[in-house]
Amino acid sequence: CLLPSRGLTAAPDTLPRPSSPRHRARPVKKIIVDGVSYEVGREVFRSQSLAGNHSDDGVAHVMQTASGVEYYMPGLNHLVSAQPLVLDGFYPLYATVEAAQWASTRGGGNGQTFEIGPGVAHPQSPARWTRPPGTQIFYMPADGPRVFLGSYVAPFALDGYFPLFRDLAVAANASTDGTAQSHGPGSETGHPTWWTSGQNEILYMPSKGHRKYYGTYEEVLQEPWPLYETRLISTANRPMATEDA
């Protein structure tokens, strides 16, 4: 005899789930020169102008790999190549005493420096840095350039203009003479006539004490390049001169 069957149940009407996208960080490109590793786009650069943009005084020196490829490093030479850091409002911070001494001398000082960081004698040293491991010791010029002990706000670049701040008081505070100049549509300087960000806003630069770029500052783009890239290039704001403080 035949037994009654339960039959076949209908399959659920579902589509296969696509695998979730995987976001991988771009690999960091490094080069070896005289047995020392350097990160391209952060410590060394492919062009002299890019390296100069990351130097306090616009100076860069050339270095060559064993295969003969030339790269450029900010600074007059390797001893003073370390660029100033900003951390927790402290600026300029240097990892080596030689770099801090050079910054002092270049800024009109006598090459004097002091240590800053957890456990050092300076009364305004932080108890701990927010960047791991938190116990680093840095060096700052004791004379020459202006130093900030917890009150520094980092500037930004836009359309080749650098250093820019959104707040007039902050830009004036970063200036050695306490004044700032305005940029953007309707500003006192009158340039640029518009920002590619689409924002109709006035931004500010310190008047003195910093090298200023009016449309000529090059920002570093991390390598390697993506397979396809769309770039919008505006010719409305023509590059202007670079002014040294």
Side-chain angles (χ1 to χ4, degrees):
C1 64
L2 296 176
L3 298 175
S5 67
R6 299 175 59 185
L8 297 176
T9 58
D13 187 14
T14 58
L15 296 175
R17 286 185 183 177
S19 56
S20 58
R22 295 180 180 178
H23 300 283
R24 295 181 179 178
R26 292 179 179 177
V28 175
K29 181 170 183 178
K30 294 186 177 183
I31 62 169
I32 305 292
V33 177
D34 296 330
V36 181
S37 176
Y38 300 95
E39 183 179 332
V40 178
R42 190 177 68 87
E43 297 174 301
V44 296
F45 303 87
R46 290 190 177 277
S47 71
Q48 188 172 7
S49 61
L50 278 177
N53 281 353
H54 288 74
S55 174
D56 278 352
D57 51 8
V59 176
H61 63 279
V62 67
M63 53 198 306
Q64 196 174 71
T65 65
S67 59
V69 180
E70 289 187 346
Y71 289 86
Y72 296 87
M73 177 177 282
L76 183 65
N77 54 54
H78 269 42
L79 273 181
V80 298
S81 63
Q83 297 309 293
L85 307 172
V86 56
L87 181 59
D88 299 338
F90 287 77
Y91 179 85
L93 298 171
Y94 293 91
T96 66
V97 66
E98 292 85 0
Q101 288 171 340
W102 172 247
S104 170
T105 303
R106 188 179 60 246
N110 296 316
Q112 301 299 310
T113 66
F114 62 90
E115 290 183 332
I116 198 81
V120 304
H122 197 281
Q124 290 181 267
S125 283
R128 190 173 184 84
W129 300 109
T130 57
R131 180 183 299 174
T135 56
Q136 306 94 309
I137 302 299
F138 295 102
Y139 302 89
M140 301 185 80
D143 52 9
R146 186 177 183 182
V147 299
F148 296 84
L149 301 172
S151 61
Y152 184 77
V153 177
F156 63 92
L158 180 60
D159 295 338
Y161 281 73
F162 182 84
L164 291 173
F165 297 87
R166 299 193 185 279
D167 187 85
L168 172 62
V170 173
N173 185 51
S175 176
T176 54
D177 67 352
T179 63
Q181 60 192 46
S182 60
H183 291 278
S187 64
E188 293 178 356
T189 58
H191 61 85
T193 55
W194 58 283
W195 301 109
T196 57
S197 63
Q199 298 296 318
N200 187 20
E201 60 181 340
I202 294 179
L203 303 174
Y204 303 92
M205 280 189 188
S207 297
K208 298 291 183 181
H210 297 268
R211 191 180 190 200
K212 296 182 284 294
Y213 297 84
Y214 305 127
T216 58
Y217 186 79
E218 296 181 62
E219 293 187 81
V220 179
L221 297 177
Q222 296 297 322
E223 299 182 15
W225 297 97
L227 182 61
Y228 295 99
E229 182 189 40
T230 301
R231 302 180 72 187
L232 298 178
I233 300 176
S234 170
T235 57
N237 297 319
R238 295 184 178 273
M240 304 183 71
T242 299
E243 178 181 334
D244 291 321

